[in-house]
Structure formats: structure tokens, C-alpha cells
Amino acid sequence: MRPPAEQLPGRHTIMERHAAYPGFRAFVAERRGSFLAPTEVTGFAYGFHGARGQWWHDVVHQALTDLGGPDHAAEWLDDPFEVAELHVHPEHQGQGLGRALLTSLCEGRRERTVVLSTLDRRPDSPARRLYRSVGMVDLLTDFEFPGGGPRYAVMGAAFPLAPYAAAPSSP
């Protein structure tokens, strides 16, 4: 994501808080280096069990309640695994690494649903296509979190995630 340098201390604080949440799980993908080339991080993902009192959870719960009522919000957020971050270095995108990180992160989870937010620049972005390919649906679109910033789509799926179905090969 390459946030501005002045945002890094705040991002570190948020990630440290997330790491203390129940059910925290994280993965880092790396390309092994050699004597002359260092190991390179190519992607990372993490998530945790979402609950009331967590900022993202409470903001999204309210928005889902406003949209479809309390039962609608409960359907998605009463027992969620929240994917907080999933990033793949641009040079390594389109090679299945994001899918591998997401499926590893979600494998064996006991929660009922998985939810996340992703930039809502285009409904057909690679990230949105990935999330849809595992069964996620749009819960909120063109959503602005408090404090401004870019618009997001909030997406969710029931566990287990749908298995990946590769496109049929041409004859």
C-alpha cells in the first residue's frame, strides 16, 4: 500500500492492537533470497475474530443496520472472521498469491462468516474479482468510513469459502 511515512506510526499501533485480538492469524509470503539478493516480502495478510467494541466492526455493523436492519447486520457480524489486511506486491500480483494468502488465512476458521473491506474504485478490480471467486458478495458499496478518505466496498461470505474453479481451458 505504501502509505505516506507520517502514517506508519499509526499503522504500527493499529496492527499491534489487532495482533492482540482473539483468533488473530497472519501469513507472510516471501521470495527467498540468495547470498547476493536478500529475501523479499511479496505479500502478507492477517485477520482476527471480529467483535463489538472493535472500531471497524462497530462502524460496519451500524452501516449494515442502517441499510437492512439489525437482523441483516447480525447475519454478517454476529460471528465474523475479519480480514484486516491482504496485500500483494504489485510485481507479484496475478500469480495466485493473493488467493493463496486468503485461503490460508480462512482455512479451518470456526466463525460463521468472513468479512473485509476493499477499495471501491472499480467493481471489476482484481481484488474484487478474487473475493467474488471465493463466494464473497457486496454488503456495502461506495462506503466512506468516518474521517473521510477513499470509498470502500465491504464484502462477505459464509464459511467455508467456495472452492476455486479455474476457467475451462480452450480445446
Side-chain angles (χ1 to χ4, degrees), residues 49-50 57 74-81 110-114 159:
H49 181 82
H57 181 95
E75 175 184 350
W76 291 104
L77 294 180
D78 269 6
D79 185 27
F81 178 66
R110 297 188 184 276
E111 291 89 353
R112 194 168 45 82
T113 60
V114 56
F159 275 133

Side-chain angles (χ1 to χ4, degrees), residues 35-106:
F35 179 71
L36 299 175
T39 298
E40 174 188 16
V41 172
T42 56
F44 77 97
Y46 77 84
F48 43 81
H49 181 82
R52 291 186 188 270
Q54 298 168 356
W55 182 83
W56 187 95
H57 181 95
D58 291 347
V59 168
V60 171
H61 191 281
Q62 185 61 57
L64 291 176
T65 299
D66 293 346
L67 178 69
D71 290 342
H72 177 65
E75 175 184 350
W76 291 104
L77 294 180
D78 269 6
D79 185 27
F81 178 66
E82 295 179 7
V83 176
E85 302 285 346
L86 192 159
H87 301 284
V88 175
H89 190 281
E91 292 176 11
H92 299 278
Q93 292 177 357
Q95 301 170 24
L97 183 54
R99 176 177 310 283
L101 285 166
L102 179 62
T103 56
S104 295
L105 199 60
C106 293

Side-chain angles (χ1 to χ4, degrees), residues 112-133:
R112 194 168 45 82
T113 60
V114 56
V115 291
L116 56 78
S117 54
T118 185
L119 289 173
D120 196 13
R121 293 186 181 131
R122 297 185 345 247
D124 66 337
S125 69
R128 301 273 297 276
R129 285 196 314 267
L130 166 62
Y131 302 140
R132 282 192 186 98
S133 76

Side-chain angles (χ1 to χ4, degrees), residues 20-44:
Y21 284 170
F24 178 84
R25 179 184 282 175
F27 289 96
V28 174
E30 58 187 18
R31 186 172 66 182
R32 295 195 188 270
S34 66
F35 179 71
L36 299 175
T39 298
E40 174 188 16
V41 172
T42 56
F44 77 97

